[in-house]
């Protein structure tokens, strides 16, 4: 804005003063600049890790099942996984850094009732695989057993992993297994992990008959005449046969 100023000698001079609109633009631009700087500073700080683990094997369980060297954490969030160089770039003077020295870091195991070691043992190569979906019903189970018996000599154990599956209306007992494997002791665990089924030959080896008492906390299931049906409910009863079966031995609730 340009104004006229009258001098004492009645002459006039021109002078300029800042326009209010220009002043507001300048102030606004300055504020925006300060805000952007503050946001950028916050973003940089937010990308820094509180904690890093490096020089290890970080199991990601991602789609490619990658194993990385290091992981960066901020608060309760994993910022990144990657190489030592990549992850150490996310650290500052306040970051706690832990050298894993080649050790392994795994994701949290959130299933509170997962028998991890026993699950892994099911893949022992000496077991006959009867796990679902190899078996989905009684007919499947008996067919798998019949085929397997053809590869064995009489007296060799049929020791199977956990476990076979049945339809809701089906049961399987010693006599069913005897029909396809009369000369080979068999120890088969159900997918529930709560009972096993064995055949007559296995009962003989374990010296189980109608006079055998139920072990504490378990049952030897019997027919109406008191004869064992081959169904052994829970570990103490299962162990009577399982301790003879290759790959098993005694099990407990521990």
């Amino acid at each position: 804005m340009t104004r006229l100023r009258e001098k004492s000698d009645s002459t006039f001079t021109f002078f300029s003063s800042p326009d209010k609109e220009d002043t507001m633009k300048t102030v606004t631009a300055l504020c925006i600049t300060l805000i952007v700087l503050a946001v950028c500073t916050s973003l940089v700080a937010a990308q820094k890790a509180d904690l890093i683990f490096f020089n290890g094997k970080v199991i990601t369980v991602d789609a490619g099942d990658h194993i990385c060297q290091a992981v960066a954490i901020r608060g309760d969030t994993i910022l990144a996984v990657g190489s030592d160089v990549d992850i150490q770039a996310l650290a500052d003077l306040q970051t706690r850094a832990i050298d894993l020295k080649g050790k392994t870091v795994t994701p949290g195991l959130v299933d509170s009732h997962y028998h991890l070691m026993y699950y892994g043992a099911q893949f022992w190569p000496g077991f006959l695989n009867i796990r679902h979906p190899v078996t989905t019903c009684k007919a499947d189970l008996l067919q798998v057993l019949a085929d397997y018996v053809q590869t064995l000599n009489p007296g060799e154990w049929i020791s199977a992993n956990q476990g076979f599956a049945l339809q809701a209306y089906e049961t399987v007992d010693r006599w069913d297994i005897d029909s396809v494997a009369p000369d080979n002791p068999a120890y088969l665990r159900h997918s529930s992990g709560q009972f096993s089924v064995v055949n007559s030959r296995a009962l003989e080896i374990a010296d189980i008959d109608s006079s055998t008492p139920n072990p504490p906390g378990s049952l030897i299931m019997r027919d109406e005449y008191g004869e064992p049906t081959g169904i052994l409910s829970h570990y103490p009863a299962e162990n009577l046969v399982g301790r003879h079966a290759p790959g098993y031995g005694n099990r407990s609730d521990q």
Side-chain angles (χ1 to χ4, degrees):
M1 178 183 294
T2 303
R3 296 178 181 175
L4 293 174
R5 174 180 291 175
E6 183 178 357
K7 290 187 175 181
S8 58
D9 58 0
S10 298
T11 61
F12 296 89
T13 60
F14 291 90
F15 74 95
S16 296
S17 63
D19 187 279
K20 289 183 178 180
E21 184 176 350
D22 292 339
T23 301
M24 289 302 297
K25 288 180 179 179
T26 301
V27 172
T28 301
L30 180 59
C31 290
I32 291 174
T33 300
L34 292 174
I35 291 171
V36 170
L37 288 173
V39 170
C40 290
T41 301
S42 297
L43 288 174
V44 171
Q47 292 172 353
K48 293 301 181 181
D50 297 327
L51 173 66
I52 65 170
F53 294 91
F54 67 97
N55 187 28
K57 298 180 180 68
V58 179
I59 299 176
T60 64
V61 198
D62 62 7
D65 202 22
H66 295 104
I67 297 178
C68 300
Q69 290 180 303
V71 57
I73 300 167
R74 182 174 180 83
D76 59 358
T77 301
I78 294 176
L79 290 181
V81 292
S83 68
D84 286 342
V85 173
D86 292 338
I87 298 306
Q88 287 173 338
L90 299 175
D92 59 18
L93 294 178
Q94 284 71 48
T95 301
R96 182 185 178 196
I98 296 178
D99 185 350
L100 293 171
K101 298 180 180 179
K103 295 180 181 178
T104 299
V105 173
T106 69
L109 303 176
V110 297
D111 189 327
S112 62
H113 194 90
Y114 194 69
H115 301 273
L116 185 61
M117 292 180 64
Y118 187 67
Y119 175 78
Q122 297 309 299
F123 297 95
W124 178 55
F127 283 142
L128 170 64
N129 183 21
I130 58 173
R131 293 177 63 84
H132 184 278
V134 173
T135 62
T136 60
C137 62
K138 180 176 179 177
D140 288 345
L141 176 62
L142 296 180
Q143 186 60 58
V144 169
L145 292 175
D147 292 342
Y148 186 60
V149 165
Q150 300 305 311
T151 69
L152 301 177
N153 295 317
E156 288 187 277
W157 272 92
I158 301 172
S159 191
N161 58 10
Q162 180 184 321
F164 67 89
L166 299 173
Q167 297 298 309
Y169 55 85
E170 292 180 321
T171 60
V172 62
D173 56 32
R174 63 188 278 193
W175 298 287
D176 293 317
I177 302 173
D178 287 347
S179 69
V180 294
D183 301 317
N184 298 87
Y187 182 71
L188 316 175
R189 300 204 78 232
H190 186 255
S191 58
S192 67
Q194 301 304 311
F195 70 92
S196 298
V197 181
V198 303
N199 62 356
S200 298
R201 187 73 187 93
L203 290 174
E204 292 172 8
I205 291 173
D207 198 25
I208 298 174
D209 58 26
S210 59
S211 65
T212 305
N214 292 322
S218 63
L219 291 172
I220 300 171
M221 305 302 289
R222 307 168 196 270
D223 64 14
E224 62 270 30
Y225 305 107
E227 290 295 322
T229 64
I231 300 173
L232 307 174
S233 177
H234 217 62
Y235 300 150
E238 292 176 281
N239 287 340
L240 296 176
V241 175
R243 64 191 178 198
H244 300 283
Y248 279 100
N250 283 315
R251 291 195 61 212
S252 70
D253 289 311
Q254 302 302 316

